[in-house]
Amino acid sequence: MSMRIVVLGAPGAGKGTQAARISDHFGTPTISTGELFRSHIAAGDELGQLAAGYIDQGNLVPDDVTTLMVADRLSLDDVAGGFILDGFPRTLAQAAALDRILGDRPLDGVVDFEVQIDAVIGRMLRRAVEQGRSDDTEDVIRNRIRVYHEKTAPLAAHYRERGLLISVDAMGEIDEVASRVVDALEHI
Ligand code: AMP
């Protein structure tokens, strides 16, 4: 099944984990901008060095840089039959850029993972310990949540107006949430 999907949600909502589940279920590749940035950082290249300064503070990497990276990735053959975009767009400007990149093959749906913010913070602090991410200290997490509310949360209304939004209750066990998402996507 070919689907062009975006997953949205507050930091720590589990969208990365759920994107992987959707990917396994439908056989659709995932593109995670956070992962792409982290691999540039690990490679120590120019993009990685630029991105690290923003990521370590919990701020967004500038739209133009991020959009170019995503446009490059979306031009590869493996996503011709569909993709799950995790972590992009994160601003209204990126959403507009994504529309331009996709042209006459637009998105099929946008899954919004809804969580209670207090639970999210606890989940992220646990993940920080498990994964040792440099952007998972408490101050940085709080900034990421602030940035999410200011810049990314408005995307839900934007996609709702376009009839693309699929809201999913993301509180609960991973398997439970995954089956809600799969059910919802089977009906788009
Ligand atoms: P994530 O793994 O999706 O939580 O992303 C980790 C970090 O990468 C974010 O906190 C941002 O600093 C950066 N990042 C990821 N995606 C984007 C994006 N679409 N626009 C700007 N910055 C991004």
Coordinates of all heavy atoms in Angstrom, one line a residue, residues 9-12 15-16 32-38 41 51-63 65-67 69-70 86-91 94 124 127 133 135-136 140 143-144 147 152, ligand 1:
G9 N 3.6 15.3 16.8 CA 3.3 15.0 18.3 C 4.4 15.7 19.1 O 5.5 16.0 18.6
A10 N 4.1 16.0 20.3 CA 5.0 16.6 21.2 C 6.3 15.8 21.4 O 6.2 14.6 21.2 CB 4.4 16.8 22.6
P11 N 7.4 16.4 21.7 CA 8.6 15.6 22.0 C 8.3 14.6 23.0 O 7.6 14.9 24.0 CB 9.6 16.7 22.5 CG 9.1 18.0 22.1 CD 7.6 17.9 21.9
G12 N 8.7 13.3 22.7 CA 8.5 12.3 23.7 C 7.1 11.6 23.6 O 6.8 10.7 24.4
K15 N 6.4 9.2 18.9 CA 6.1 9.2 17.4 C 7.2 8.4 16.7 O 6.8 7.8 15.7 CB 5.8 10.5 16.8 CG 6.9 11.5 16.9 CD 6.5 12.9 16.4 CE 7.4 14.0 16.8 NZ 8.9 13.7 16.7
G16 N 8.4 8.5 17.1 CA 9.5 7.7 16.5 C 9.2 6.2 16.6 O 9.3 5.5 15.6
S32 N 13.2 10.1 9.4 CA 13.2 10.9 10.6 C 14.3 12.0 10.5 O 15.4 11.7 10.3 CB 13.5 10.0 11.8 OG 14.1 10.7 12.9
T33 N 13.8 13.3 10.6 CA 14.8 14.4 10.4 C 15.7 14.4 11.6 O 16.9 14.7 11.5 CB 14.1 15.7 10.3 OG1 13.0 15.8 11.2 CG2 13.6 15.9 8.9
G34 N 15.2 14.0 12.8 CA 16.1 14.0 14.0 C 17.2 13.0 13.7 O 18.4 13.2 14.0
E35 N 16.8 11.8 13.2 CA 17.8 10.7 12.9 C 18.8 11.2 11.8 O 20.0 10.9 11.9 CB 17.2 9.4 12.4 CG 16.4 8.7 13.5 CD 17.3 8.2 14.6 OE1 18.5 7.9 14.4 OE2 16.8 8.1 15.8
L36 N 18.3 11.9 10.8 CA 19.2 12.4 9.7 C 20.2 13.3 10.3 O 21.4 13.2 10.0 CB 18.4 13.0 8.6 CG 17.5 12.1 7.7 CD1 16.7 12.9 6.7 CD2 18.5 11.2 6.9
F37 N 19.7 14.3 11.1 CA 20.6 15.2 11.8 C 21.7 14.5 12.6 O 22.8 14.8 12.6 CB 19.9 16.3 12.6 CG 19.2 17.3 11.8 CD1 17.9 17.7 12.1 CD2 19.9 18.0 10.8 CE1 17.2 18.7 11.3 CE2 19.3 19.1 10.1 CZ 17.9 19.4 10.4
R38 N 21.2 13.5 13.4 CA 22.1 12.8 14.3 C 23.2 12.1 13.5 O 24.3 12.0 13.9 CB 21.4 11.9 15.3 CG 20.7 12.7 16.4 CD 20.1 11.8 17.5 NE 18.9 11.2 17.1 CZ 17.7 11.7 17.1 NH1 17.5 13.0 17.6 NH2 16.6 11.1 16.8
I41 N 25.7 14.6 12.5 CA 26.5 15.0 13.6 C 27.6 13.9 13.9 O 28.7 14.2 14.1 CB 25.6 15.2 14.9 CG1 24.8 16.4 14.7 CG2 26.5 15.3 16.2 CD1 23.7 16.6 15.7
A51 N 23.9 21.8 12.7 CA 22.7 21.4 13.3 C 22.9 21.2 14.8 O 22.0 21.5 15.6 CB 22.2 20.0 12.7
A52 N 24.1 20.7 15.2 CA 24.4 20.4 16.6 C 24.1 21.6 17.5 O 23.6 21.4 18.6 CB 25.8 19.8 16.8
G53 N 24.5 22.7 17.1 CA 24.3 23.9 17.9 C 22.9 24.2 18.2 O 22.6 24.7 19.3
Y54 N 22.0 23.9 17.3 CA 20.6 24.1 17.6 C 20.0 22.9 18.4 O 19.3 23.1 19.4 CB 19.8 24.2 16.2 CG 20.2 25.4 15.4 CD1 21.2 25.3 14.4 CD2 19.6 26.6 15.7 CE1 21.5 26.4 13.7 CE2 20.0 27.7 15.0 CZ 20.9 27.6 14.0 OH 21.3 28.7 13.3
I55 N 20.3 21.7 18.0 CA 19.7 20.5 18.6 C 20.1 20.4 20.1 O 19.3 20.2 20.9 CB 20.2 19.3 17.8 CG1 19.6 19.3 16.5 CG2 19.8 18.0 18.6 CD1 20.0 18.1 15.6
D56 N 21.4 20.7 20.4 CA 21.8 20.6 21.8 C 21.1 21.6 22.7 O 21.0 21.4 23.9 CB 23.3 20.8 21.9 CG 24.1 19.6 21.4 OD1 23.4 18.5 21.1 OD2 25.3 19.7 21.2
Q57 N 20.6 22.7 22.2 CA 19.8 23.7 23.0 C 18.3 23.4 22.9 O 17.5 24.1 23.6 CB 20.0 25.1 22.4 CG 21.5 25.6 22.4 CD 22.1 25.6 23.8 OE1 21.4 26.1 24.7 NE2 23.2 25.0 24.0
G58 N 17.9 22.4 22.1 CA 16.4 22.1 22.0 C 15.8 23.1 21.1 O 14.5 23.2 21.1
N59 N 16.5 23.8 20.2 CA 15.9 24.7 19.3 C 15.8 24.0 17.9 O 16.4 23.0 17.7 CB 16.8 26.0 19.1 CG 16.7 26.8 20.4 OD1 15.7 26.9 21.0 ND2 17.9 27.3 20.8
L60 N 15.0 24.6 17.0 CA 14.9 24.0 15.7 C 16.0 24.5 14.8 O 16.5 25.6 14.9 CB 13.6 24.5 15.0 CG 12.3 24.1 15.7 CD1 11.1 24.5 14.9 CD2 12.2 22.5 15.9
V61 N 16.5 23.5 14.0 CA 17.5 23.9 12.9 C 16.7 24.7 11.9 O 15.5 24.5 11.7 CB 18.0 22.5 12.3 CG1 19.0 22.8 11.2 CG2 18.6 21.6 13.4
P62 N 17.4 25.8 11.4 CA 16.6 26.7 10.5 C 15.9 25.9 9.3 O 16.3 24.9 8.8 CB 17.7 27.6 9.9 CG 18.8 27.6 11.0 CD 18.7 26.2 11.6
D63 N 14.7 26.5 9.0 CA 13.9 25.9 8.0 C 14.6 25.6 6.7 O 14.4 24.5 6.1 CB 12.7 26.9 7.7 CG 11.7 26.9 8.8 OD1 11.6 25.9 9.6 OD2 10.9 27.9 8.9
V65 N 17.7 25.0 5.9 CA 18.7 23.9 5.9 C 17.9 22.6 6.0 O 18.2 21.6 5.3 CB 19.5 24.1 7.2 CG1 20.5 22.9 7.4 CG2 20.3 25.4 7.2
T66 N 16.9 22.6 6.9 CA 16.1 21.3 7.2 C 15.4 20.9 5.9 O 15.3 19.8 5.5 CB 15.1 21.6 8.3 OG1 15.9 22.1 9.4 CG2 14.4 20.3 8.7
T67 N 14.8 21.9 5.2 CA 14.0 21.6 4.1 C 14.8 21.1 2.9 O 14.4 20.1 2.2 CB 13.2 22.9 3.6 OG1 12.4 23.3 4.7 CG2 12.4 22.7 2.4
M69 N 17.6 19.3 3.3 CA 17.9 18.0 3.6 C 16.8 17.0 3.3 O 17.0 15.9 2.8 CB 18.3 17.9 5.1 CG 18.7 16.5 5.6 SD 19.1 16.6 7.4 CE 17.5 16.7 8.2
V70 N 15.5 17.4 3.6 CA 14.4 16.6 3.4 C 14.1 16.4 1.9 O 13.8 15.3 1.4 CB 13.1 17.2 4.2 CG1 11.9 16.4 3.8 CG2 13.3 17.1 5.7
D86 N 8.8 11.5 9.9 CA 8.8 11.7 11.4 C 9.6 12.9 11.8 O 10.8 12.8 11.6 CB 9.3 10.4 12.0 CG 9.7 10.5 13.5 OD1 9.3 11.5 14.1 OD2 10.5 9.6 14.0
G87 N 9.0 13.9 12.3 CA 9.8 15.1 12.7 C 9.8 16.2 11.7 O 10.5 17.2 11.9
F88 N 9.1 16.1 10.6 CA 9.0 17.1 9.6 C 7.7 17.0 8.9 O 7.2 15.9 8.6 CB 10.1 16.9 8.5 CG 10.2 18.0 7.5 CD1 11.1 19.1 7.6 CD2 9.4 18.0 6.4 CE1 11.1 20.1 6.7 CE2 9.4 19.0 5.4 CZ 10.3 20.1 5.6
P89 N 7.0 18.1 8.8 CA 7.4 19.5 9.1 C 7.2 19.8 10.6 O 6.4 19.2 11.3 CB 6.4 20.4 8.3 CG 5.2 19.5 8.1 CD 5.6 18.1 8.1
R90 N 7.9 20.8 11.1 CA 7.8 21.3 12.4 C 7.4 22.7 12.5 O 7.2 23.3 13.6 CB 9.1 21.1 13.2 CG 9.2 19.8 14.1 CD 10.6 19.8 14.6 NE 10.8 19.0 15.8 CZ 11.2 17.8 15.9 NH1 11.4 17.1 14.8 NH2 11.4 17.2 17.0
T91 N 7.3 23.4 11.4 CA 6.8 24.8 11.3 C 5.9 24.9 10.1 O 5.9 24.1 9.2 CB 8.0 25.8 11.1 OG1 8.5 25.5 9.8 CG2 9.1 25.6 12.1
Q94 N 7.8 25.1 7.0 CA 8.2 23.7 6.5 C 7.0 23.0 5.8 O 7.2 22.2 4.9 CB 8.8 22.9 7.6 CG 10.1 23.4 8.1 CD 10.7 22.5 9.3 OE1 10.2 21.5 9.6 NE2 11.7 23.0 9.9
M124 N 10.5 11.2 28.6 CA 11.8 11.7 28.0 C 13.0 11.6 28.9 O 14.1 11.3 28.5 CB 11.6 13.2 27.5 CG 10.6 13.3 26.4 SD 10.5 15.0 25.9 CE 11.9 15.1 24.9
R127 N 14.1 8.2 28.8 CA 14.8 7.9 27.5 C 16.2 8.5 27.5 O 17.2 8.0 27.0 CB 14.0 8.4 26.3 CG 14.5 8.0 25.0 CD 13.6 8.5 23.8 NE 13.7 9.9 23.7 CZ 13.1 10.6 22.7 NH1 12.3 9.9 21.9 NH2 13.2 11.9 22.6
R133 N 21.1 10.8 25.0 CA 21.0 11.9 24.0 C 21.4 13.2 24.7 O 20.9 13.5 25.7 CB 19.6 12.0 23.5 CG 19.4 11.1 22.3 CD 17.9 11.1 21.8 NE 17.5 12.4 21.4 CZ 16.4 12.6 20.7 NH1 15.7 11.6 20.1 NH2 16.0 13.8 20.4
D135 N 20.4 16.1 23.9 CA 19.3 17.1 23.9 C 18.2 16.6 24.9 O 17.1 17.0 24.8 CB 18.8 17.4 22.5 CG 18.3 16.1 21.8 OD1 18.6 15.0 22.3 OD2 17.6 16.3 20.8
D136 N 18.5 15.7 25.8 CA 17.5 15.2 26.7 C 17.8 15.5 28.2 O 17.3 14.8 29.0 CB 17.3 13.6 26.5 CG 16.2 13.3 25.5 OD1 15.6 14.2 25.0 OD2 16.0 12.1 25.3
V140 N 16.7 21.3 28.5 CA 16.6 21.2 27.0 C 15.2 20.6 26.7 O 14.5 21.1 25.8 CB 17.7 20.5 26.4 CG1 17.5 20.2 24.9 CG2 19.1 21.2 26.7
N143 N 12.7 23.3 27.0 CA 12.7 24.2 25.8 C 12.1 23.6 24.6 O 11.4 24.2 23.8 CB 14.2 24.6 25.5 CG 14.2 25.7 24.5 OD1 13.4 26.7 24.5 ND2 15.1 25.6 23.5
R144 N 12.4 22.3 24.4 CA 11.8 21.6 23.2 C 10.3 21.6 23.3 O 9.7 21.8 22.2 CB 12.4 20.1 23.1 CG 13.8 20.1 22.8 CD 14.4 18.7 22.9 NE 13.8 17.8 21.9 CZ 13.8 16.5 21.9 NH1 14.4 15.9 23.0 NH2 13.3 15.8 21.0
V147 N 9.2 25.1 22.4 CA 9.3 25.3 20.9 C 8.2 24.5 20.2 O 7.6 25.1 19.2 CB 10.7 24.9 20.4 CG1 10.8 24.8 18.9 CG2 11.8 25.8 21.0
T152 N 5.3 24.2 16.4 CA 4.8 22.9 15.7 C 3.3 22.6 16.0 O 2.6 22.2 15.1 CB 5.7 21.7 16.2 OG1 7.0 22.1 16.0 CG2 5.3 20.5 15.4
Ligands
AMP1 P1 13.6 14.5 17.0 O1 14.5 13.3 17.0 O2 12.5 14.5 16.0 O3 13.1 14.8 18.4 O4 14.6 15.8 16.6 C1 15.7 16.1 17.4 C2 16.1 17.5 17.1 O5 16.5 17.7 15.8 C3 15.0 18.6 17.3 O6 14.8 19.0 18.7 C4 15.5 19.7 16.5 O7 16.5 20.4 17.1 C5 16.0 19.0 15.3 N1 15.0 18.8 14.2 C6 14.4 17.6 13.9 N2 13.5 17.8 12.9 C7 13.5 19.2 12.7 C8 12.8 20.0 11.8 N3 11.8 19.5 11.0 N4 13.1 21.3 11.8 C9 14.0 21.8 12.6 N5 14.7 21.1 13.5 C10 14.5 19.8 13.5

